């Protein structure tokens, strides 16, 4: 604007001022610029809202339900459609999987139903939820890409929480080492892989399950894992275990239920023990103490030549069965003690006692491959397998080199309280037994060792109304040699049946 134009504008402005003053008119007011802008924005909004509502109405016509157009469907028809698919949702299953985790949830057990409230909102609230920009985005997306509402599934929250807690607890356990076992044919050896300790994030898993079900899909869902703790022994560590090196079975009287409980507890704890090449194995360390808190019961056992009730009575039958299997597998015996009296379930001199106070049975694996202990408990039998590599098979023979019977005393003690003889303490002979084991390995090597057992005689004490007396007697009838021990060990028939009882007392 030139100076002349500016001057002319000012003159016109002054002229209008004087005119209003002369005629008594109010002074002229400038229109603020913000009001002009607001008026423009308002006009645009009116035009925009009209277009948005039109677009929203068009977008709603493009929504489909499970691939089906709902443009011409009434609310009742939509309800009927959902009713037809309700049962299908209840019958579906959801698989949860991760490395080492594989669980299938039965949706019917979780109270699964179609989430009709969610489905209804998705069908009819296009562009009606959220902030303005979110509403616009919803409409634009529907217009450009369409919108298919799935048959969303909802489950009972409490039941889902319980199911996921069970899944968590199933895998949040101490790692389980890989182990070898014998299949039902009692010949084929198989390997069970290790199981890691897996800690599952149940909160994230619940959110993932809920989100997955809202999509209407029930394909495999990845399980979120917080942490893992691996097992010490993996399947690859046992890949060379392919055969039964030996096995041995003992029998027991199943009329004492508490003793049976103790046998089965120890058998289960012993099961799946793995002894790596050149390593030692301790029965007490592996099986653990026999205490009531672990489920062990009071049952008969020998203590200082007396039959007493003790916690864990009967466990020695498990250690004895393992001892005989270890002998026949060619393992080196590192520690073994006999009972106070011969055990009824094995030939005399072939038992191995254990106790929490230090009596232990232990052996060493002399091979270049690991061995695995596999145990099976029948109704009145315990069988222990030693599994290993075919290169470590061997032939084992036994010879009784020394067998001495130790007579016991029959002591009568006068007692005024009895009118006839009354036995106060049972008596039996003792024995000194030495058995030589010869092991011939498949590589031509040989190993010879001895099993020495000493059983103290136990005096019989009788209370009598008569005079005191003492007599040395021998009641045992042992053969100089036991053919079950002298027979060469046949690699195709490892099981040596238990002979008739030498002593019928029920001991550990």
């Amino acid at each position: 604007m030139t100076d002349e134009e500016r001057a002319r504008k000012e003159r016109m402005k002054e002229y209008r001022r004087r005119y209003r003053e002369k005629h008594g008119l109010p002074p002229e007011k400038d229109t603020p610029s913000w009001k002009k802008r607001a008026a423009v924005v308002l006009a645009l909004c009116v035009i925009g809202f009209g277009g948005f509502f039109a677009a929203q109405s068009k977008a709603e016509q493009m929504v489909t339900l499970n691939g089906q157009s709902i443009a011409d469907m009434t609310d009742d028809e939509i309800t009927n459609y959902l009713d037809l698919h309700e049962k299908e949702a209840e019958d579906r299953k959801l698989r949860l999987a991760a490395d080492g985790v594989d669980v299938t949830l039965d949706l019917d057990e979780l109270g699964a139903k179609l989430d009709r409230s969610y489905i209804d909102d998705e069908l009819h609230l296009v562009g009606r939820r959220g902030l303005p920009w979110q509403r616009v985005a919803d409409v634009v997306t529907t217009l450009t890409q369409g919108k298919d509402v799935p048959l969303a599934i909802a489950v009972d929250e409490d039941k889902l929480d319980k199911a996921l807690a069970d899944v968590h607890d199933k895998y949040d356990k101490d790692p389980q080492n890989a182990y070898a076992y014998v299949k039902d044919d009692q010949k084929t050896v198989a390997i069970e892989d290790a199981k890691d300790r897996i800690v599952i994030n149940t909160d994230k898993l619940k959110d993932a399950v809920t989100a997955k079900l809202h999509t209407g899909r029930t394909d495999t869902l990845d399980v979120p894992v917080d942490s893992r703790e691996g097992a010490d022994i993996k399947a690859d560590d046992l890949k060379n275990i392919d055969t039964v090196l030996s096995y041995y079975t003992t029998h027991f009287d199943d009329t004492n239920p508490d003793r049976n409980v103790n046998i089965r507890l120890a058998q289960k704890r012993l099961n799946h023990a793995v002894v790596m090449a050149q390593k030692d194995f301790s029965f007490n360390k592996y099986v653990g103490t026999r205490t009531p808190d672990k489920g062990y019961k009071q049952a008969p056992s020998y203590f200082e030549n007396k039959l007493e009730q003790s916690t864990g009575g009967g466990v020695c039958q498990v250690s004895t069965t393992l001892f005989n299997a270890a002998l026949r597998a060619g393992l080196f015996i590192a520690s073994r003690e006999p009972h106070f009296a011969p055990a009824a379930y094995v030939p005399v001199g072939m038992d191995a006692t254990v106790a929490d106070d230090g009596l232990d049975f232990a052996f060493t694996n002399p091979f270049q491959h690991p061995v695995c202990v596999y145990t099976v408990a029948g109704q009145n039998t315990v069988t222990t397998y030693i599994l290993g590599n075919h290169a470590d098979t061997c032939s084992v023979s036994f010879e009784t080199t020394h067998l001495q019977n130790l007579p016991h005393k029959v002591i009568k003690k006068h007692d005024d309280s009895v009118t006839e003889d009354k036995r106060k303490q049972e008596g039996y002979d003792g024995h000194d037994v030495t058995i030589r084991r010869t092991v011939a390995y498949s590589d031509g090597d040989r190993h010879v060792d001895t099993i020495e057992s000493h059983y103290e005689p136990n005096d019989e004490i009788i209370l009598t109304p008569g005079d005191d007396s003492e007599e040395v007697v021998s009641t045992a009838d042992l053969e100089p040699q036991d053919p079950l021990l002298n027979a060469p060990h046949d690699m195709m028939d490892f099981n040596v049946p238990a002979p008739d009882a030498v002593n019928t007392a029920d001991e550990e």
Side-chain angles (χ1 to χ4, degrees):
M1 181 181 296
T2 64
D3 292 342
E4 183 179 352
E5 290 173 340
R6 190 177 293 106
R8 186 168 60 251
K9 183 176 181 180
E10 287 298 324
R11 288 195 299 269
M12 292 298 298
K13 186 176 182 180
E14 179 62 20
Y15 169 77
R16 291 194 298 273
R17 185 188 67 76
R18 289 196 303 268
Y19 179 84
R20 288 193 297 273
E21 184 179 351
K22 179 179 178 180
H23 295 281
L25 297 175
E28 182 179 9
K29 295 181 180 180
D30 293 334
T31 302
S33 60
W34 67 268
K35 288 188 176 181
K36 295 179 182 178
R37 290 195 296 270
V40 173
V41 170
L42 179 60
L44 291 175
C45 286
V46 171
I47 298 172
F49 281 137
F52 174 77
F53 290 130
Q56 184 185 59
S57 178
K58 183 177 181 181
E60 289 178 344
Q61 300 300 310
M62 300 180 66
V63 176
T64 58
L65 173 60
N66 194 33
Q68 305 293 316
S69 174
I70 64 168
D72 298 324
M73 294 175 68
T74 65
D75 289 344
D76 287 343
E77 288 173 334
I78 292 176
T79 299
N80 291 337
Y81 181 85
L82 296 178
D83 290 343
L84 290 174
H85 291 80
E86 188 81 65
K87 180 62 176 173
E88 176 187 343
E90 296 174 0
D91 292 341
R92 296 171 76 175
K93 302 179 186 299
L94 177 63
R95 183 181 175 220
L96 311 178
D99 183 16
V101 177
D102 194 344
V103 178
T104 299
L105 300 180
D106 190 329
L107 297 190
D108 182 50
E109 295 178 358
L110 301 180
K113 301 289 183 183
L114 290 181
D115 192 344
R116 302 200 181 207
S117 176
Y118 174 84
I119 293 172
D120 186 66
D121 288 349
E122 291 297 303
L123 289 176
H124 301 111
L125 296 182
V126 177
R128 300 178 188 275
R129 295 171 294 182
L131 298 172
W133 67 267
Q134 292 173 317
R135 299 184 180 204
V136 171
D138 189 17
V139 170
V140 171
T141 300
T142 303
L143 288 173
T144 56
Q145 301 178 14
K147 180 179 182 180
D148 183 52
V149 179
L151 296 176
I153 301 171
V155 296
D156 183 280
E157 186 171 357
D158 290 340
K159 292 181 179 180
L160 178 59
D161 287 341
K162 174 63 168 58
L164 297 185
D166 290 344
V167 172
H168 175 277
D169 294 344
K170 177 180 179 180
Y171 293 97
D172 187 13
K173 295 181 179 179
D174 290 338
Q176 177 179 298
N177 288 331
Y179 61 88
Y181 66 96
V182 181
K183 291 187 176 181
D184 292 341
D185 62 7
Q186 299 183 359
K187 295 181 180 180
T188 306
V189 174
I191 305 298
E192 180 71 19
D193 202 356
K195 293 181 180 178
D196 295 344
R197 179 188 180 191
I198 302 173
V199 181
I200 296 171
N201 189 319
T202 51
D203 290 337
K204 289 183 179 180
L205 180 57
K206 180 180 179 180
D207 292 341
V209 168
T210 302
K212 171 71 77 173
L213 295 180
H214 265 180
T215 67
R217 303 195 312 271
T218 54
D219 48 340
T220 301
L221 178 66
D222 291 336
V223 175
V225 173
D226 278 346
S227 63
R228 290 177 177 271
E229 181 182 351
D232 294 330
I233 300 176
K234 306 293 186 180
D236 192 58
D237 297 324
L238 308 180
K239 62 184 179 181
N240 292 319
I241 295 182
D242 57 9
T243 193
V244 176
L245 297 179
S246 70
Y247 69 84
Y248 194 83
T249 298
T250 61
H251 300 257
F252 58 88
D253 183 356
D254 62 357
T255 58
N256 188 323
D258 289 341
R259 187 175 187 275
N260 297 349
V261 167
N262 295 337
I263 289 174
R264 285 176 169 80
L265 278 175
Q267 170 262 323
K268 288 180 180 178
R269 294 180 188 276
L270 173 64
N271 201 16
H272 304 157
V274 174
V275 187
M276 304 307 288
Q278 316 294 311
K279 298 298 182 180
D280 298 330
F281 174 85
S282 162
F283 183 92
N284 283 346
K285 288 182 180 179
Y286 194 87
V287 174
T289 56
R290 279 72 75 180
T291 52
D293 61 295
K294 296 178 181 178
Y296 288 99
K297 308 292 184 181
Q298 291 275 323
S301 63
Y302 267 107
F303 179 73
E304 295 183 349
N305 278 14
K306 294 181 181 179
L307 191 62
E308 298 180 352
Q309 294 288 323
S310 66
T311 303
V315 169
C316 287
Q317 181 154 352
V318 180
S319 61
T320 293
T321 308
L322 174 63
F323 170 54
N324 280 269
L327 287 173
R328 288 155 177 79
L331 303 176
F332 291 175
I333 306 304
S335 174
R336 171 262 175 187
E337 293 291 336
H339 288 78
F340 289 104
Y345 40 80
V346 288
V348 62
M350 297 297 285
D351 55 320
T353 188
V354 292
D356 290 345
D357 60 3
L359 291 176
D360 193 14
F361 167 62
F363 64 81
T364 301
N365 174 10
F367 304 125
Q368 298 301 314
H369 307 98
V371 296
C372 186
V373 178
Y374 177 64
T375 67
V376 179
Q379 181 177 353
N380 61 349
T381 61
V382 177
T383 300
T384 296
Y385 295 82
I386 304 296
L387 311 178
N389 184 261
H390 64 277
D392 299 324
T393 56
C394 59
S395 177
V396 180
S397 62
F398 300 94
E399 180 184 359
T400 303
T401 60
H402 176 72
L403 178 59
Q404 180 182 358
N405 193 58
L406 306 176
H408 70 282
K409 296 178 181 179
V410 177
I411 302 174
K412 290 187 176 184
K413 294 183 177 181
H414 175 77
D415 192 315
D416 291 335
S417 65
V418 299
T419 57
E420 60 182 14
D421 287 355
K422 180 179 179 181
R423 181 183 289 114
K424 182 180 179 181
Q425 176 175 297
E426 181 184 4
Y428 49 81
D429 288 352
H431 311 288
D432 272 329
V433 184
T434 302
I435 299 168
R436 182 167 59 210
R437 177 181 67 148
T438 302
V439 185
Y441 297 102
S442 59
D443 60 2
D445 196 12
R446 291 171 65 84
H447 173 75
V448 178
D449 57 11
T450 57
I451 307 163
E452 297 182 352
S453 304
H454 175 74
Y455 305 99
E456 284 285 347
N458 198 50
D459 293 338
E460 180 176 0
I461 299 176
I462 300 174
L463 302 180
T464 179
D467 297 333
D468 292 348
S469 66
E470 183 175 304
E471 180 185 5
V472 177
V473 300
S474 179
T475 55
D477 184 20
L478 294 181
E479 296 293 332
Q481 293 183 337
D482 190 333
L484 286 173
L485 298 178
N486 295 332
H489 180 55
D490 184 351
M491 287 308 302
M492 298 307 293
D493 185 13
F494 306 102
N495 185 24
V496 178
D500 293 336
V502 175
N503 185 288
T504 58
D506 187 9
E507 70 254 285
E508 275 199 80

